Every structure is written in C-alpha cells, then in structure tokens.
C-alpha cells in the first residue's frame, strides 16, 4: 500500500501540512517501511515460546512465556505525522495477531480521506476497520469495549481516554507530549549544535511531540548560540523562509491563532524571525531571548516554529528548572563534556534522552519509544510494539511423575517437610 | 494536611533527595527486609493465625518463604537489572552509544489484599525498592491483625520516610488515591480495580492491577484422576479457597464426575482429617460478610461433599458441588471460598467454548497426559497464566511473569518483572558533536541526491553482524567522505 501509493500519500501530506517531500519521505514513509521490514523479519522469532530458568523443584517442567493477541485494539492517531502515528502502531497490532479499529485524525483531512480509501483496499475491512470522525464519534467509539487502546495526542484528551478505559479495565498506551527541553552547557561546538537543534526544532514546523520545545543555556552561551541559530536557519530555509519549499505550515487556522496568541503574549524579545501570514498558515522560524519561566510560551507545549531561550546560571539550576516540570517525552543535552551529559542524565527523567542531537532516537527500532509521567504510559517501535499489543501468558507444563515430591507441600504440614521444600524451591538454577 | 497527604509528601521529598537510587542503598534496605522475616517470624505467624487461622508452617510455606526467595533474587540481580541495556543500532547511529537505562518512577502506591497479605503486599514492595522508588504501603484493613503488624514492624527495618505504611479503610484509601503517584500497584477484585484506574486517570498515573476471576480447571477423562484430584484439592482448599489463582470450578466429562468427587473427598480426608474444623492446617473465611456471601452461593446447587459450616467460627467445610449448571449462583462470581463446583461437559471443544464465554481468567488449569489437548487449550483460550497438570505452582517460578489479562488484570510482576514494572526504561542515544558532515544529508535545502543517501543510511533492513557492520561502516565512512566532498558541499 505504501509503496504503490507514494505519490498520493505525499500529495495528501502536502495538502494537510505543506510537508516537504523530503520530510514526508523520511518521517512518514521510510520510518514506516523500516518498521514493516523489522516486523516481517523478526515476527517468527517474537512469536516463539520463550523458555525461562527454573528452580530445582520445577526442573522437569516446561516453563515458558507465550505471546498471545489481546483481541480488538483501538488506535487513535493525531494530525502531525498522520501516516506514521496511525500505521506504526498498526504494524505492532497486526504483528501481535490482533484485529484493530483505526481512527485517523480528522484535522489532517486529506490524509484521513486517503487512509479511509486505501486501507480497505489492502487490508481486510473486517479485521482492520477505519473509523472516521471528530470528538463526538471518538467518544462514541470509546463507549465500546476494547482489549487495548493506543492513543497519541494530548494530556487532556488522554485523561478522558483513561477514564473510558477504566470502565472496561482496558489497558492503554498513551503517547503524549510535553515541553522537551534542549539544554546547551559547557564546552560545545556551537555551530554543529545549532544546526542539529534547528533541524530538530523546525522539522514539520515544530509540530513534533519530540521537538525541542525550549532551550536552556547560560547567558554567555546564548550570545554565541543566537548567531549560530540565525546562520543555520538561513542555510536551511534561506532569507525568506515563506518562499522556501522545505518548510512546513501550521496545520490549521485554529492552531495558527493559538501560536500567534502565545507569541503576542510573550514578554521575550524576538531575535530571529517573527513574521507570519494568516492566510498561508505561515509562521517564520522564530527565536526569542529574555524569556522567563512564567512567560506565555512556557505555559503549554508550543508545538510550532517558535523557540524560546531561557538563561540559567549553572548546570544545577538548569537541572532544577527541568525537574520542576512534568517529565518530558524527550530531553536533549548539547555538550562536548561527557560529565555534563552524565549529570543531566542521572538527575532528570524523561521518555527518551539524546545527547548532541534531536529526534533521531525515534528511528531506532531497538529503542522503546514512549513517555513517562505526564508524557505518557507504555512504549512501542520494533519489538516493543509487538509486546505492547500482546499478552505474555505464563505457561507451565508439569508431568505426572514426582507426585512424591509434591507430597512435601500437602497437609498435614510439618516442619521437616518445610525444610525440604525450602531447599528445592529456593535454589535457583540461575 | 491529612495523614495520607503527609505520608505521600514526605515520601516524595525523601525520593527527591536521591537516596533511594544508589544500588548500595537498595541492597541495604532489601537486606533489612530480609532480616525482618528472619527475626519476626513468630509475630507474623501469630497475626496470620488470628486473621485466617493459618498455621505457622502454612504462613511460612505460602507467605514468607516466597518473599525470602524474591528478596534473595533481587539482592543477587539488582545490579544487573539496573544496568544500562544496550540495543542494536542502524547505520546512521553506528558510532553512537545506544542503550536503555532503567530508572525509578518516583513514588509508588502499593495497595495490598487480605488473602495472602504478606505475599501480595511485600512482593511489589521488593520490586519498588529494587527499582529505586519510594513506596507508600497500604495493607488491607480486612486482615486486621496483620495490618497492625505491618504498620509496627516495617518502620523498624526499612526507611520509614521512603516506605511509609498507611493503614485504614475505604475513606483512607480514597484520600490516598487523591494524591499523585508515579505508579499504583493494586491487588484485589475487578470492581475496585476499575475505581482505582479511574482515580489514576486524573494524574495519568500508570497502574498494575492484579485482579481475579473464575479460574477454570479442565480434567480430561484419560488422566490419572487420583493424582489430578489431589493436586486440585490442594490448590482449591489451601487458605480455604481464598486464593486469586485457586481452581474456581471443574469441567469434566459426566462419566468421571463420580470418580472425581470420590478422589477429591479422599484428598480432603488425607489433608484435613475427617473433621477439618479441628484440623490446624485448615483455614477460616476471613470474616462474616464473606462467610455469608459464600454460603449464599451454594443455595441452588447439589452438595456432594462437605457443606457443614459454623458462622460463629467463619468455618465452611471443604465442599464439592455436583452437576452444577452454568446459571447456578456459584457460577456468577469468583467463589473465593472452599466450594468446588463440577460442571459436566461433553467435550474439549465444549469446554473451550464455555471458558471463552466468560472473562479471561487469571489462571487456567488443564489436567491431561495428552500434549495435543494441552496445546489446544493453550492456543484456543486466553488467561493470565496456564498451568498443565497442577495448580498454583506457576506462581512460585520467579522467571515467569505473574499477572492477568482483560478482566483479570493488567501488568505483571515477580522477579525481574517486578523491577521492570516499577521502572521507567529510558531510551538513551549518546552522540558526539563531530562528524557533522554526515548530518548534512538530512538538512534542507533538500535535494533528491541527499534523499537517496538519507534513505540508505536510515533503512536498516540488513543484519550484518558485528564484523560485517564494522566493515560496512569503514566503507561507508570513505564513501560518505567522498560524497560530502563532491556533492553536498
């Protein structure tokens, strides 16, 4: 489906987000193809019974873990990477043997239309149904019983999803967001750091759950950082980003207004960018300095091409700043000093952690992708997706012999029996 | 501030000092816990006798021995479990360090149950401590004496700020649930499980729910019925049937029903004598409310063995019910008592259909010498765990994940699973700022040539093994250098 309809997919993504072909191919098609290849090559081994270690008492028994499908899972996707975030979970669900109800986001309308048309042509409609609609339809969907709900989106909606799930004791995976800090500290190759930061931040016009939301650095670093950011932006998007085909747009007028409102209320100083155009849903890549922690831009996840820089006096203060807030989905540290990196790693928590780059950890199927605390619950990608949508059934097959040994555990209970049992159970063949 | 709020706030403050994180500290606390069980065996057993009429040996066998094993395992393995776990890389990240770092979640709430109060309250605590968390321990108020013992003993041995014990009933639990936790671990029934999950929704707190259900027990007519019934009787009547994984009911061919009844009767006599009421190894129902509940379940079924009872003593004899119908009262809820209904069923397929009509149970038991039957049962039903030819004992294998599915629960624990369940597995990618040239292929302005290279580097559909990857990396480095020089700059 993905291979045969690449043109149409790219067109739809461009319609929804003005997504540049390059970004769309890498972040929507390639990542999906990777996940599919990975699942196809490894599925058989994932499905095998996993034999586990035993004690002396269970020496002659078969003890293993058998993965099973959960049943019918619900996948709810957001609009920012409408293909990836809809189909990557689906790969895990199918690999694990489930049926799925798939709910694409109605905000990325062109992609939703395309998915509703394409998926039934390639996958069984009975097993993998596409359901379209907005908040009302989603609410109705959630009244049904599912065996797992996989939701990517915002914290506020996640709360209602969790409440709906609790009615049926349905387990959930919540891929949420938060404000992902970018911390630049110590001795650092500022040009390289700035390029990587700019790439990670303005990819998809900042509308990524793992985009560096805001930057933390000392005043001295800020002085060298801002020109480096400016240069990188110019190298990437030219002097008039609105005319550059490699920059996305904001997904909807509502979100454009939201971002412009945040920018308007901010007390920070714009040092790069700031231009915008409502009709085009365009906001220039914008950097602000002199932003304080109670600024409008620090109230919620920005999810747009606006990058506030907050100065801190020291590494400790920076870590404290990060720890006062919800655990983010990703945390980025830029430094040439490994002691700085290790300190931040040790003293903070986040879904994922990358030093000296941004976003790229998502491309590794060996790493579980998910949040912690306010940024989410559960994870997927690669084998983690398979496990998320599976039940690990503990299986133990005993024989009929050795009933004498069992005699040790039957009443009447006696101290000497207990002694023998201790010995056989506590010795671990590990 | 309420007492509950204070305990949670103190635990969070203690966690934020970072002292629960170092491995040495975790090991120290676990060792202290270990000492508690060695030194206070008598106090613990006395309370268990008062709560559930459990004998001293019974307490050790079913409660503390398992915990000692888990503590030993954690002591041996915690360093390994907490260490960074390397993962495979793609071509683009070949020269980077990629691993998963287990981290504590923060403050965990552990809500225990009354049936094996030590086992189900302390085992999650072991996992919480091993994973570096703080934990608020809320023992079940239903096992009155044991809750008191936990409240008085635990602070004497383990850090009382990091691991406070908060006792109380429903209002106190509700107050606790209003606070924010980083994980809630609940053992109990499905109805309360739903309430817990709903409360957790407020703060988006992940939960582990160890619930119950009706664990079916299928006895094939061609098996050694004597041995099967012995094992089933043990599984059923231990702790007076008040075990989340007790075989709830039996499914068997009508032709063996009489034999099954006779064999179970014989086992009951062997285990608990002719008068179980006077036998020190036979337990009691936890309280009058449950006594009445269980007695009512028997009302519309035929008693084949037992049935005698004494409300003043919360005693119900080991009981077998015959020819039970699916609509009978005893089949409408988890029994959690010493009643063993037998439902005659004509074939394995019928049994599987029957089982699948109900909620997914915590455990499923099948007694048969035929591997084909075991496999059919395993493949065509779902349950937390499956045990062939015995009852309960899969619980004691710490390398097996213990937990439910669907209505019987979510999440699992025991051994390393406890550690992982109460940890955050943080994905870490450690890069350097050099080799920036290679990154150029992903930056705008985008060109088709760059796209080709980027695809190549990111697509990881080939597994070359270490040597292969090293060779490929060397070749690629050269190629990349050439490409960068000539095409991208």
């Amino acid at each position: 489906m993905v291979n045969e309809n690449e043109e149409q997919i790219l067109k739809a993504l461009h319609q929804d987000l003005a997504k540049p072909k390059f970004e769309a191919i890498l972040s929507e098609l390639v990542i999906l193809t990777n996940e599919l290849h990975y699942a196809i090559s490894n599925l058989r081994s994932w499905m095998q019974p996993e034999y586990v270690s035993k004690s002396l008492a269970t020496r002659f028994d078969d003890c293993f873990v058998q993965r099973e499908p959960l049943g019918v899972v619900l996948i709810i996707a957001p609009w920012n990477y409408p293909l990836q975030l809809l189909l990557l979970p689906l790969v895990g669900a199918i690999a694990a043997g489930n049926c799925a109800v798939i709910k694409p986001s109605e905000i990325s309308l062109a992609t939703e239309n395309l998915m509703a048309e394409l998926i039934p042509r390639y996958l069984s409609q009975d097993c993998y149904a596409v359901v379209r609609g907005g908040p009302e339809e989603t609410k109705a969907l959630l009244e049904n019983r599912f065996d797992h709900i996989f939701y990517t989106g915002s914290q506020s909606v996640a709360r209602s999803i969790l409440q709906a799930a609790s009615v049926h004791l349905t387990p959930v995976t919540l891929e949420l967001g938060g404000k992902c800090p970018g911390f630049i500290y110590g001795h650092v190759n500022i040009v390289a750091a700035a390029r990587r930061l700019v790439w990670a931040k303005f990819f998809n016009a900042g509308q990524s759950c793992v985009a560096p939301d805001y930057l933390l650095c000392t005043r001295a670093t800020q002085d060298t950082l801002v020109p480096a950011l400016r240069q990188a932006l110019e190298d990437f998007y030219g002097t008039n980003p609105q005319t550059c085909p490699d920059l996305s747009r904001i997904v909807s007028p509502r979100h454009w207004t939201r971002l412009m409102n945040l920018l308007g209320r901010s007390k920070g100083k714009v040092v790069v960018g700031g231009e915008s155009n409502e009709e085009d849903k365009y906001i220039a890549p914008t950097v602000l300095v002199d932003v304080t922690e109670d600024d409008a831009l620090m109230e919620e996840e920005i999810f747009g091409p606006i990058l506030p820089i907050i100065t801190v006096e020291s590494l400790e203060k920076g870590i404290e700043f990060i720890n006062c807030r919800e655990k983010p989905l990703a945390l980025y540290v830029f430094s040439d000093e490994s002691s700085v990196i290790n300190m931040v790693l040790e003293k903070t928590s986040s879904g994922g952690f990358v030093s000296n780059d941004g976003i790229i950890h998502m491309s590794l199927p060996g790493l579980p992708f998910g949040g912690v605390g306010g940024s989410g619950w559960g994870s997927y990608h690669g084998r983690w997706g398979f496990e998320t949508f599976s039940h690990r059934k503990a299986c133990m097959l005993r024989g009929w012999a050795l009933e004498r040994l069992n005699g040790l555990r039957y009443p009447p209970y006696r101290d000497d029996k207990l002694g023998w049992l201790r010995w056989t159970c506590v010795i671990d063949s590990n | 501030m309420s007492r509950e709020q204070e305990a949670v706030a103190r635990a969070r403050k203690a966690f934020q000092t970072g002292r629960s994180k170092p491995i040495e500290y975790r090991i120290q606390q676990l060792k202290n816990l270990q000492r508690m069980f060695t030194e206070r065996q008598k106090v613990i057993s006395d309370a268990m006798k008062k709560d559930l009429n459990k004998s001293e040996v019974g307490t050790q066998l079913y409660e503390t021995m398992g915990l000692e094993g888990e503590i030993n395992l954690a002591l041996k393995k915690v360093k390994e479990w907490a260490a960074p776990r390397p993962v495979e890389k793609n071509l683009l990240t070949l020269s980077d360090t990629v691993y998963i770092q287990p981290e504590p979640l923060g403050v965990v709430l552990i809500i225990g149950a009354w049936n094996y109060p030590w086992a189900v309250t302390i085992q999650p605590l072991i996992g919480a401590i091993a994973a570096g968390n703080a934990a608020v321990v809320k023992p079940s108020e239903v096992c009155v004496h044991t809750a008191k013992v936990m409240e008085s003993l635990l602070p004497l041995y383990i850090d009382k700020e990091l691991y406070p014990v908060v006792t109380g009933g429903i209002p106190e639990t509700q107050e606790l649930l209003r606070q924010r936790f980083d994980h809630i671990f609940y053992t109990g029934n499905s109805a309360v499980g739903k309430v817990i999950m709903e409360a957790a929704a407020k703060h988006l707190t992940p939960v582990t729910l160890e619930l119950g259900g009706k664990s079916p027990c299928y006895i094939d007519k061609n098996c050694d019925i004597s041995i099967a019934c012995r094992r089933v009787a043990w599984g059923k009547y231990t702790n007076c049937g008040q075990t989340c994984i007790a075989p709830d009911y039996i499914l068997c061919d009508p032709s063996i029903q009489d034999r099954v009844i006779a064999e179970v009767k014989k086992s009951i006599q062997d285990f608990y004598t002719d008068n179980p009421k006077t036998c020190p190894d036979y337990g009691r129902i936890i309280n009058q409310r449950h006594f009445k509940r269980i007695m009512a379940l028997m009302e519309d079924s035929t008693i084949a063995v037992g049935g005698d009872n004494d409300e003043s003593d919360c005693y119900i004899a080991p009981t077998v019910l015959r020819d039970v119908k699916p609509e009978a009262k005893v089949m409408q809820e988890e029994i959690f008592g010493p009643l063993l209904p037998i439902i005659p069923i004509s074939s394995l397929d019928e049994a599987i259909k029957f089982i699948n009509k109900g909620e997914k149970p915590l455990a499923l038991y099948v007694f048969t010498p035929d591997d084909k039957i075991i496999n059919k049962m395993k493949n065509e039903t779902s349950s937390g765990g499956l045990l062939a030819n015995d009852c309960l004992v899969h619980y004691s294998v710490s390398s097996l994940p213990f937990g439910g599915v669907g209505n019987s629960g979510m999440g699992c624990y025991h051994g390393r699973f406890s550690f992982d369940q109460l940890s955050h597995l943080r994905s870490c990618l450690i890069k350097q700022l050099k080799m920036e040239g290679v990154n150029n292929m992903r930056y705008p302005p985008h060109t088709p040539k760059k796209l080709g290279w980027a695809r190549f580097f990111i697509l990881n559909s080939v597994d070359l093994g270490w040597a292969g990857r090293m060779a490929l990396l060397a070749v690629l480095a050269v190629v990349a250098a050439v490409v960068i020089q000539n095409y991208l700059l």
Side-chain angles (χ1 to χ4, degrees):
Chain A
M1 178 183 92
V2 168
N3 288 343
E4 289 174 12
N5 298 281
E6 188 170 304
E7 272 306 308
Q8 279 190 285
I9 291 172
L10 293 176
K11 203 162 140 217
L13 290 168
H14 196 267
Q15 233 178 301
D16 285 326
L17 287 146
K19 217 178 263 248
K21 182 166 149 179
F22 191 95
E23 284 188 11
I25 290 181
L26 279 191
S27 69
E28 302 263 22
L29 300 179
V30 169
I31 195 169
L32 181 58
T33 312
N34 250 358
E35 186 80 3
L36 284 161
H37 277 155
Y38 196 80
I40 292 170
S41 337
N42 291 294
L43 189 49
R44 251 178 250 281
S45 71
W46 293 343
M47 284 172 66
Q48 292 306 308
E50 184 192 344
Y51 285 89
V52 302
S53 59
K54 306 177 281 198
S55 67
L56 205 61
T58 48
R59 208 100 206 50
F60 301 106
D61 308 315
D62 265 343
C63 295
F64 57 93
V65 176
Q66 180 71 56
R67 269 91 178 157
E68 300 183 329
L70 292 168
V72 179
V73 308
L74 172 63
I75 298 171
I76 302 177
W79 50 260
N80 58 336
Y81 293 88
L83 197 83
Q84 187 213 122
L85 298 175
L86 181 71
L87 298 182
L88 232 69
L90 183 60
V91 171
I94 296 177
N98 300 288
C99 285
V101 171
I102 311 158
K103 160 90 189 60
S105 170
E106 73 283 9
I107 296 177
S108 44
L109 191 56
T111 310
E112 186 203 31
N113 282 336
L114 189 61
M115 288 296 105
E117 186 203 315
L118 287 183
I119 290 178
R121 277 205 262 146
Y122 290 81
L123 297 178
S124 150
Q125 281 194 71
D126 286 335
C127 290
Y128 314 109
V130 180
V131 173
R132 310 177 54 169
E136 283 307 310
E137 288 77 10
T138 309
K139 206 160 150 223
L141 205 48
L142 286 168
E143 278 162 26
N144 293 286
R145 183 178 184 179
F146 291 96
D147 300 295
H148 194 98
I149 297 176
F150 190 106
Y151 170 73
T152 307
S154 74
Q155 278 185 14
S156 50
V157 175
R159 277 189 196 95
S160 18
I161 302 243
L162 203 43
Q163 268 182 326
S166 66
V167 173
H168 299 291
L169 285 172
T170 302
V172 303
T173 303
L174 304 171
E175 295 274 328
L176 312 176
K179 295 178 78 61
C180 300
F183 196 177
I184 306 131
Y185 194 83
H187 187 268
V188 59
N189 175 339
I190 205 81
V191 170
R195 287 166 85 77
R196 295 178 188 193
L197 268 169
V198 164
W199 179 77
K201 173 68 179 189
F202 299 103
F203 197 95
N204 205 28
Q207 298 164 114
S208 312
C209 45
V210 285
D213 188 276
Y214 64 96
L215 297 184
L216 288 171
C217 62
T218 60
R219 198 159 280 284
T221 306
Q222 185 185 264
D223 293 337
T224 52
L225 180 60
V226 171
L229 289 172
R230 194 179 287 121
Q231 185 60 53
L233 279 168
E234 206 182 292
D235 290 344
F236 292 179
Y237 306 112
T239 44
N240 187 5
Q242 197 178 5
T243 58
C244 175
D246 296 332
L247 182 65
S248 299
R249 292 293 180 268
I250 308 306
V251 71
S252 69
R254 184 169 78 86
H255 277 281
W256 185 92
T257 309
R258 177 186 68 83
L259 287 164
M260 291 310 295
N261 178 289
L262 287 178
L263 200 52
R265 286 193 296 123
S266 170
K267 304 218 171 61
K269 185 171 90 177
V270 174
V271 290
V272 185
E275 303 87 16
S276 60
N277 181 307
E278 186 166 2
E279 206 190 306
D280 194 17
K281 292 181 279 163
Y282 166 76
I283 298 178
T286 302
V287 181
L288 297 100
V289 296
D290 299 333
V291 177
T292 56
E293 61 179 313
D294 48 7
D295 192 273
L297 288 170
M298 291 306 287
E299 280 168 15
E300 57 180 71
E301 187 177 353
I302 295 171
F303 226 67
I306 301 169
L307 183 58
I309 303 180
I310 298 181
T311 49
V312 287
E313 291 154 20
S314 63
L315 185 58
E316 289 71 26
K317 286 277 183 218
I319 290 174
E320 212 181 285
F321 189 94
I322 293 171
N323 285 341
C324 282
R325 293 170 165 69
E326 288 290 341
K327 295 177 189 177
L329 185 54
L331 207 160
Y332 304 111
V333 182
F334 288 81
S335 182
D336 284 326
E337 298 173 49
S338 55
S339 56
V340 168
I341 311 243
N342 286 332
M343 173 90 135
V344 181
L345 181 56
E346 233 175 276
K347 303 245 178 220
T348 61
S349 186
S350 59
F353 179 93
V354 184
S355 69
N356 296 322
D357 212 330
I359 298 186
I360 202 83
H361 61 302
M362 284 193 69
S363 70
L364 288 162
L367 283 177
F369 181 70
V372 63
S375 51
W377 173 4
S379 62
Y380 69 128
H381 283 192
R383 181 167 190 164
W384 304 92
F386 175 82
E387 297 283 341
T388 285
F389 289 107
S390 298
H391 166 53
R392 285 184 296 189
K393 181 155 87 178
C395 299
M396 182 169 175
L397 312 183
R398 302 209 85 185
W400 293 88
L402 297 179
E403 184 56 9
R404 274 265 168 98
L405 194 61
N406 271 354
L408 290 177
R409 75 189 194 210
Y410 296 147
Y413 298 133
R414 291 196 321 256
D415 279 321
D416 58 339
K417 276 189 182 181
L418 188 61
W420 278 108
L421 257 176
R422 250 183 212 280
W423 188 72
T424 60
C425 288
V426 174
I427 301 245
D428 203 322
S429 53
N430 236 342
Chain B
M1 239 211 269
S2 67
R3 165 183 160 255
E4 292 75 24
Q5 256 181 317
E6 256 188 57
V8 178
R10 242 200 323 265
R12 190 162 287 288
K13 202 149 165 242
F15 176 76
Q16 278 160 351
T17 64
R19 73 172 181 267
S20 62
K21 241 183 137 178
I23 300 284
E24 298 71 35
Y25 192 83
R26 306 183 203 185
I27 290 178
Q28 189 54 54
Q29 294 298 307
L30 289 172
K31 282 197 170 141
N32 290 348
L33 199 56
Q34 195 176 42
R35 235 178 355 108
M36 183 182 88
F37 287 109
T38 319
E39 291 174 9
R40 306 286 181 150
Q41 192 61 56
K42 185 97 192 15
V43 176
I44 292 174
S45 306
D46 287 345
M48 288 298 292
K49 181 113 191 109
K50 291 197 192 113
D51 282 326
L52 285 151
N53 199 42
K54 212 170 266 208
S55 65
E56 198 172 323
V57 172
T59 297
Q60 285 187 65
L61 189 51
Y62 298 109
E63 297 262 25
T64 54
M65 209 167 92
L67 290 177
E68 288 167 30
E70 284 277 321
I71 296 176
N72 274 333
L73 185 63
L75 284 171
K76 211 164 77 169
K77 294 279 186 175
V78 65
K79 218 165 170 177
E80 181 191 312
W81 293 343
R85 304 175 189 181
V87 302
E88 59 182 272
K89 308 187 271 199
N90 63 14
L91 295 178
L92 202 62
T93 46
L94 219 41
S95 57
D96 307 317
T97 313
V98 188
Y99 58 92
I100 295 167
Q101 177 63 59
E103 296 183 337
L105 290 166
V107 182
V108 175
L109 171 63
I110 299 170
I111 301 178
W114 53 260
N115 58 339
Y116 293 89
W118 290 95
V120 309
T121 313
I122 305 297
Q123 199 160 146
L125 178 61
I126 295 169
I129 296 176
N133 298 292
V136 174
V137 178
K138 157 80 188 68
S140 169
E141 71 283 11
V142 178
C143 48
V144 174
H145 302 94
T146 302
K148 276 207 188 70
V149 169
M150 277 190 197
E151 191 178 23
S152 58
L153 283 189
L154 281 170
L156 296 177
Y157 287 84
I158 55 178
D159 191 315
K160 57 176 177 270
E161 283 178 345
L162 280 174
Y163 320 111
V165 179
V166 176
T167 51
I170 296 180
E172 288 79 12
T173 310
Q174 283 173 333
E175 177 63 8
L176 272 176
L177 287 170
R178 276 182 215 112
Q179 313 312 314
R180 183 175 186 179
F181 291 95
D182 300 292
H183 195 101
I184 298 177
F185 194 111
Y186 168 74
T187 306
N189 67 61
S190 307
V192 178
K194 290 180 184 169
V195 172
I196 304 262
M197 197 172 166
E198 214 205 317
K202 225 183 6 245
H203 299 294
L204 287 173
T205 302
V207 303
T208 303
L209 304 173
E210 295 274 329
L211 311 175
K214 292 180 80 58
S215 300
C217 180
Y218 176 78
I219 302 182
D220 177 26
K221 65 173 181 263
N222 297 317
C223 75
D224 183 332
I225 297 188
S226 165
I227 294 183
C229 290
R230 202 170 188 70
R231 297 178 181 186
V232 171
W234 173 74
K236 180 62 164 188
Y237 301 112
T238 294
N239 207 28
C240 233
Q242 299 163 118
T243 308
C244 46
I245 43 171
D248 190 276
Y249 62 94
I250 292 179
L251 293 168
C252 70
D253 194 278
S255 62
I256 58 166
Q257 187 178 206
D258 287 330
R259 177 93 197 280
V260 166
I261 292 171
E263 291 290 348
V264 171
K265 185 168 182 192
K266 180 166 181 303
S267 296
I268 293 172
Q269 275 169 335
D270 290 342
F271 296 165
Y272 307 115
T273 75
D274 281 319
N275 188 4
K277 194 160 191 239
T278 56
C279 175
D281 294 332
Y282 187 66
R284 292 293 181 270
I285 306 305
I286 184 76
N287 60 27
Q288 300 239 316
R289 181 170 74 85
H290 278 281
F291 174 90
K292 289 195 172 89
R293 178 188 67 80
I294 298 167
M295 289 306 297
L297 292 179
M298 269 200 274
E299 273 164 21
D300 55 354
S301 294
T302 313
I303 297 175
V305 180
D308 9 312
N309 57 85
D310 179 349
E311 185 164 345
S312 63
D313 194 18
C314 284
Y315 166 77
I316 300 179
T319 301
V320 180
L321 305 168
R322 65 173 301 138
D323 294 311
V324 175
K325 300 200 166 35
E327 313 81 55
K329 282 196 184 153
V330 76
M331 289 306 291
Q332 303 315 310
E333 61 180 72
E334 185 177 357
I335 297 168
F336 226 67
L339 313 179
L340 182 57
I342 303 178
I343 299 186
I345 204 120
S346 51
S347 69
L348 179 62
D349 282 315
E350 284 298 310
I352 290 176
K353 241 202 270 178
F354 184 86
I355 291 169
N356 286 340
K357 265 207 275 212
E359 291 292 344
K360 295 177 188 175
L362 186 52
L364 202 155
Y365 300 110
V366 50
F367 284 82
T368 177
D370 188 348
D371 281 343
K372 282 207 281 308
I373 293 180
I374 296 178
N375 281 330
K376 195 164 153 82
M377 196 55 110
K378 173 173 73 86
N379 294 332
E380 295 183 22
T381 63
S382 186
S383 55
L386 177 133
L387 175 48
N389 304 324
D390 210 334
C391 290
L392 310 188
V393 291
H394 61 300
Y395 182 93
S396 68
V397 182
S398 31
S399 47
L400 282 175
F402 182 75
V405 62
N407 237 46
S408 51
M410 60 178 85
C412 62
Y413 69 132
H414 285 192
R416 182 189 171 136
F417 297 101
S418 303
F419 179 91
D420 280 358
Q421 188 80 129
L422 297 173
S423 296
H424 168 52
L425 300 180
R426 188 183 194 184
S427 296
C428 297
L429 171 58
I430 310 294
K431 299 192 76 162
Q432 315 283 337
L433 280 166
K434 40 192 204 226
M435 295 236 316
E436 182 56 9
V438 180
N439 274 349
N440 280 337
M441 76 184 86
R442 75 188 197 206
Y443 298 149
H446 299 316
T447 66
K449 258 194 200 114
K450 279 191 187 181
L451 182 59
W453 279 110
R455 267 196 202 233
F456 178 70
F457 270 87
I458 292 175
L459 269 172
N460 59 356
S461 43
V462 179
D463 185 10
L464 297 168
W466 184 87
R469 276 202 286 270
M470 286 299 113
L472 186 56
L473 178 63
V475 169
L476 285 173
V478 172
V479 172
V482 171
V483 167
I484 290 162
Q485 287 284 62
N486 295 329
Y487 298 113
L488 300 182
L489 293 182

